[in-house]
Amino acid sequence: MKVSKHCYMIPGLGYLPPWTVNSGFIVGEKVTLVADSGPNAWVAETIYGYAHGIKESNSMILINLEKHLDHVGGNSLFTEKGVSIYGHHLINRNAWDFENEKKDFNAAILNTERKHLHEENLIFLSSKIKNPDIAIDKEFEMDLGNLIVQVILTPGHTETNISLFVPEDKVLYTADCIVNGYIPNMDEGDEKMWLSWKQSLEKLRKVGTNKIIPGHGRVIEGEGVIKAFDEMERHSDKKLNGRREPF
C-alpha cells in the first residue's frame, strides 16, 4: 500500500499466530530502499516483487531494521537477486536459528497429523540464513536520487534496531521499536535495554513524523502518532519501575 509520495508499506505478512509482520520500501529517482525482508524466502519474493515493480529501472538496497527472524529471514532471496544488504553490525544469525524457530511453529500446530508431518518445514523451504553485507555502526543519510533517508540507531527492542525517516514525506519506519495493537516484545531485555528503548522513543519523537510504519500492526497516522509514542513509553516505564509483566 502507498502511504506517501515515495513510501510504501507491505502489511500483515504471515508469521507465528497471532503475529503478523510488516515490511516496506522507499522509492527515489535512482534507488529503491527496502525495509526488512520478512520471515522467509516466500515472503521475500513478494516484497521484492512489489518493490521492483514500482520502478523497475531503479537499483535496490535492502536494510535490516533488526535481528529477529521475522525481519531478516528472507535475506537470502535478496542476495540471489543481487541486492546488497545493510544491517546493524551486531546482527549475526546462524542456521540453528531457523531450526529453533521451527520448534515454535510446530508447537503452534493444533492438528496432530499436521504436527506429526512437520508441516512447519514448509515455512522455511528454500530459506537460508544470510547476514548483512554492509555493517551499520553509526547514523547517516542515504540519497536514493533526489530523496534523502535518515538511518537512525534506535536500540531497545533489541540492541540491533534501526529506524528510517524520510523527511520529505515525514514517514518513519521503526520495525519493533514501535508496534500498533500488539504488546511490545521485550523478552530479551534488561534494565539497560529498557532505558535505551525509552531514549530511542524520545529521539524519534523529535524527527517530526506524521506517519509511522510499525514493525507490527496497521500504519499509524494523525493523532495516533503521539498516542503510539505515549503507549510505547508507558510500557518501557513499567519495566523500568520494576513491574515484570511478560511482554
Side-chain angles (χ1 to χ4, degrees), residues 223-234:
E223 294 180 358
V225 170
I226 294 176
K227 291 180 180 178
F229 281 114
D230 290 345
E231 179 69 6
M232 294 301 102
E233 288 195 0
R234 183 177 69 83

Side-chain angles (χ1 to χ4, degrees), residues 11-38:
L13 299 167
Y15 202 57
L16 182 67
W19 297 281
T20 61
V21 65
N22 300 325
S23 177
F25 54 93
I26 305 160
V27 182
E29 291 187 4
K30 297 181 179 179
V31 180
T32 296
L33 177 62
V34 178
D36 287 336
S37 62

Side-chain angles (χ1 to χ4, degrees), residues 164-182:
L164 304 175
F165 182 58
V166 186
E168 184 173 327
D169 293 23
K170 296 185 178 180
V171 174
L172 178 67
Y173 295 77
T174 65
D176 292 7
C177 186
I178 296 176
V179 296
N180 185 14
Y182 291 90

Side-chain angles (χ1 to χ4, degrees), residues 78 107 115 119 139 142 150 161 170 176 208 210 222 244:
F78 281 86
K115 184 187 293 285
E119 287 191 350
E139 298 181 350
M142 284 186 173
Q150 297 175 358
N161 273 72
K170 296 185 178 180
D176 292 7
N210 59 26
R244 302 292 178 172

